[in-house]
């Protein structure tokens, strides 16, 4: 018999696929994957603000070596107020400008002590630290009132 | 005998088994990462700041202060373990005595009042630490 007309078995001609159909499984797995991707918490980048903890027993620095600024944070009528060096309380948004003015040419000679009241939001305390960080004031700390 | 065309091609069959293996690995990855992120971050909404320092956090003690239900006291977590304020103070004191260069990173929820975070700072101060680091989220 000629090779062109050689009889072929049906199994040899067709790719006989055995086993379960994997396509629906892939669909289900994809849905599960998308679910876990969506539910995974995405953590943003973080960084740090250094806050000194003044020791109550430590002697205060000699005047002239550093300029000490006290920022008192208080709460009134649902708003946070900031008082710098016992001045009348004002808008905390004015604190960076005042610190910048006090820092002048040498922010390293400035010491900022933050004294918040208990009901002041923690975020406002962080804002003062952020302002000091922006101005290059390294010596900033939190003290109890 | 009818001639069969050798070009009678059946539809190419895609082997999806390796694809399933890869997808399964991705699922396991997201399961593990999601659980690790949950246990580490402990539901804390950090304050966002545009200024800060990038510091090596290796070896630092991480204290979490998470907001609790209204009227309930905030919860403290030290190195992933829930602790009370007293245990926190004693642990910090012990760690500082063992290593005076111990760094403490405070991760507190932005919605908390300062009075909720003050015990942590007081514990650090009483333990002899001269400074702590406040962890914030970097704004873009």
């Amino acid at each position: 018999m000629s090779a062109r007309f050689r009889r072929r078995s049906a199994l040899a001609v067709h790719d006989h696929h055995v086993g379960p159909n994997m396509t629906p499984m892939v669909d289900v797995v994809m849905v599960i994957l998308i679910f876990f991707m969506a539910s995974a918490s995405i953590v943003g980048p973080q960084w740090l603000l250094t806050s000194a903890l003044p020791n109550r027993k430590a002697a205060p620095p000699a005047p002239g070596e550093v300029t000490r600024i006290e920022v008192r944070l208080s709460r009134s009528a649902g708003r946070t107020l900031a008082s710098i060096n016992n001045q009348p309380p004002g808008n905390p948004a004015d604190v960076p400008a005042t610190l910048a003015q006090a820092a002048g040419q040498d922010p390293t000679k400035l010491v900022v002590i933050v004294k918040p009241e208990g009901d002041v939001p923690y975020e406002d305390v962080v804002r003062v630290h952020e302002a000091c960080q922006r101005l290059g004031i390294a010596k900033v700390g939190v003290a109890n009132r | 005998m009818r001639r069969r065309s050798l070009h009678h091609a059946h539809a190419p069959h895609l082997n999806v088994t390796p694809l399933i293996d890869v997808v399964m690995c991705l699922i396991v990855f997201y399961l593990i990462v999601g659980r690790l992120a949950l246990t580490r971050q402990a539901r804390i909404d950090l304050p966002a700041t545009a200024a800060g320092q990038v510091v090596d956090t290796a070896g630092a003690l991480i204290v979490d202060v998470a907001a609790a239900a209204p009227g309930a006291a905030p919860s403290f977590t030290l190195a992933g373990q829930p602790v009370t304020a007293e245990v926190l103070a004693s642990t910090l004191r012990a760690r500082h005595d063992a290593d005076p260069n111990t760094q403490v990173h405070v991760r507190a929820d932005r919605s908390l009042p300062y009075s909720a975070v003050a015990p942590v700072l007081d514990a650090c101060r009483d333990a002899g630490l001269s400074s702590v680091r406040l962890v914030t989220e970097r704004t873009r």
Side-chain angles (χ1 to χ4, degrees):
Chain A
M1 184 177 292
S2 167
R4 291 169 59 192
F5 298 100
R6 188 172 55 195
R7 203 182 174 101
R8 289 180 182 224
S9 139
L11 287 176
V13 172
H14 297 283
D15 183 7
H16 191 74
H17 178 69
V18 295
N21 185 7
M22 303 292 254
T23 306
M25 182 182 293
V26 174
D27 292 337
V28 172
V29 169
M30 284 290 187
V31 170
I32 294 174
L33 175 64
I34 291 172
F35 169 77
F36 282 116
M37 286 172 63
S39 62
S41 62
I42 299 174
V43 179
Q46 299 172 357
W47 49 13
L48 309 168
L49 295 171
T50 302
S51 178
L53 301 172
N55 193 334
R56 302 183 190 96
K57 301 175 184 176
E65 289 181 358
V66 294
T67 303
R68 182 185 169 96
I69 291 185
E70 271 190 13
V71 180
R72 291 176 177 262
L73 299 176
S74 57
R75 197 77 173 160
S76 174
R79 291 171 53 234
T80 300
L81 301 174
S83 168
I84 299 178
N85 285 348
N86 294 324
Q87 291 178 0
N91 191 349
D94 298 332
V95 170
T98 307
L99 292 177
Q101 190 178 6
Q105 300 295 325
D106 192 3
T108 60
K109 289 193 175 179
L110 201 62
V111 173
V112 177
I113 302 296
V114 185
K115 293 190 175 182
E117 285 184 353
D119 53 352
V120 170
Y122 168 70
E123 186 170 12
D124 293 334
V125 178
V126 172
R127 290 278 165 257
V128 176
H129 285 79
E130 180 190 13
C132 294
Q133 176 71 28
R134 283 173 176 258
L135 296 170
I137 302 171
K139 298 174 185 174
V140 54
V142 177
N144 288 334
R145 297 192 63 169
Chain B
M1 190 177 298
R2 190 166 59 183
R3 192 171 155 173
R4 288 178 187 255
S5 166
L6 294 176
H7 298 289
H8 175 67
H10 51 277
H13 180 72
L14 179 65
N15 187 7
V16 294
T17 306
L19 175 67
I20 293 177
D21 291 338
V22 171
V23 171
M24 283 294 187
C25 284
L26 288 173
I27 288 179
V28 170
F29 170 77
Y30 277 106
L31 272 172
I32 294 174
V33 168
R35 181 172 295 277
L36 284 176
L38 187 64
T39 55
R40 188 168 184 270
Q41 303 304 328
R43 311 172 311 276
I44 293 176
D45 185 16
L46 296 172
T49 60
Q53 301 167 310
V54 177
V55 178
D56 183 18
T57 59
L61 274 177
I62 298 177
V63 180
D64 293 338
V65 187
S75 60
F76 300 120
T77 307
L78 177 61
Q81 300 297 323
V83 293
T84 61
E86 293 76 21
V87 172
L88 176 66
S90 60
T91 305
L92 289 175
R93 198 174 301 116
R95 284 292 295 264
H96 180 71
D97 291 341
D99 181 11
N101 295 324
T102 299
Q103 285 294 326
V104 175
H105 295 178
V106 178
R107 298 178 64 251
D109 197 286
R110 66 169 69 187
S111 63
L112 288 171
Y114 174 72
S115 57
V117 185
V120 177
L121 301 183
D122 290 341
C124 294
R125 187 183 289 112
D126 294 339
L129 291 160
S130 60
S131 66
V132 297
R133 294 206 163 103
L134 310 177
V135 182
T136 63
E137 191 170 312
R138 186 189 298 195
T139 55
R140 301 184 188 280

